[in-house]
């Protein structure tokens, strides 16, 4: 098996996240994302959680609000921003980094103070009305997850 698959190469998570946010990235869906992240040493998280509270169309863009967290997380990733990626119509339609607190979430999940700094998700993406919107997250602890699918307003 090892002869037929490319070897895994561990890349620092911050460098990977930087690669994913470049406009020329070729990641078009969760399958591409998962394949790439596994090749650079990331693992799929069983503890990544999040929710999109609202998707509101504002002309050509969609305003997103919600939250994302991975708990427990590696010590170096506790409270670090999480990159939330959005895919629609087989293309990357945007990403948002968590920033700020969501006390309602951290209290409801009974999270330690270390996790409170970056749970809030707010930003804008672009997607075609009625198209499926797949939502994934990538964390600085070297993990990633699939949060689910929504319909673009």
């Amino acid at each position: 098996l090892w002869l037929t698959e490319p070897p895994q190469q561990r890349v620092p998570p911050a460098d990977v996240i930087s690669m994913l946010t470049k406009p020329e990235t070729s990641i078009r869906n969760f399958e591409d994302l998962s394949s790439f992240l596994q090749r650079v040493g990331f693992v799929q998280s069983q503890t990544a959680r999040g929710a999109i509270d609202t998707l509101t169309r504002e002309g050509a863009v969609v305003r997103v609000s919600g939250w994302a967290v991975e708990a427990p997380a590696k010590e170096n990733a506790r409270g670090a921003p999480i990159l939330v990626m959005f895919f629609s119509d087989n293309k990357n339609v945007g990403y948002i980094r968590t920033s700020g607190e969501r006390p309602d979430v951290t209290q409801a999940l009974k999270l330690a103070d270390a996790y409170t700094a970056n749970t809030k998700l707010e930003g804008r993406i672009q997607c075609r009305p009625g198209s499926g919107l797949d939502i994934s997250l990538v964390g600085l602890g070297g993990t990633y997850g699939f949060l689910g699918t929504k319909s673009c307003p």
Side-chain angles (χ1 to χ4, degrees), residues 101-144:
E101 297 183 13
R102 279 287 302 264
D104 59 323
V105 171
T106 53
Q107 288 172 3
L109 298 176
K110 297 178 174 48
L111 297 176
D113 289 344
Y115 293 97
T116 62
N118 288 294
T119 52
K120 187 177 185 178
L121 180 68
E122 285 189 336
R124 289 177 172 75
I125 61 168
Q126 291 185 321
C127 56
R128 187 175 49 81
S131 63
L133 188 62
D134 292 336
I135 306 158
S136 305
L137 63 77
V138 182
L140 279 173
T143 58
Y144 68 97

Side-chain angles (χ1 to χ4, degrees), residues 36-69:
F36 168 73
L37 291 174
Q38 288 174 14
R39 282 195 312 273
V40 295
F42 276 55
V43 295
Q44 190 158 3
S45 172
Q46 302 302 312
T47 60
R49 294 178 273 181
I52 302 301
D53 296 328
T54 61
L55 290 169
T56 308
R57 180 152 300 276
E58 296 176 346
V61 299
V62 173
R63 194 166 82 96
V64 178
S65 68
W67 59 274
V69 66

Side-chain angles (χ1 to χ4, degrees), residues 65-79:
S65 68
W67 59 274
V69 66
E70 182 175 13
K74 292 181 180 176
E75 191 170 334
N76 68 325
R78 292 181 189 150

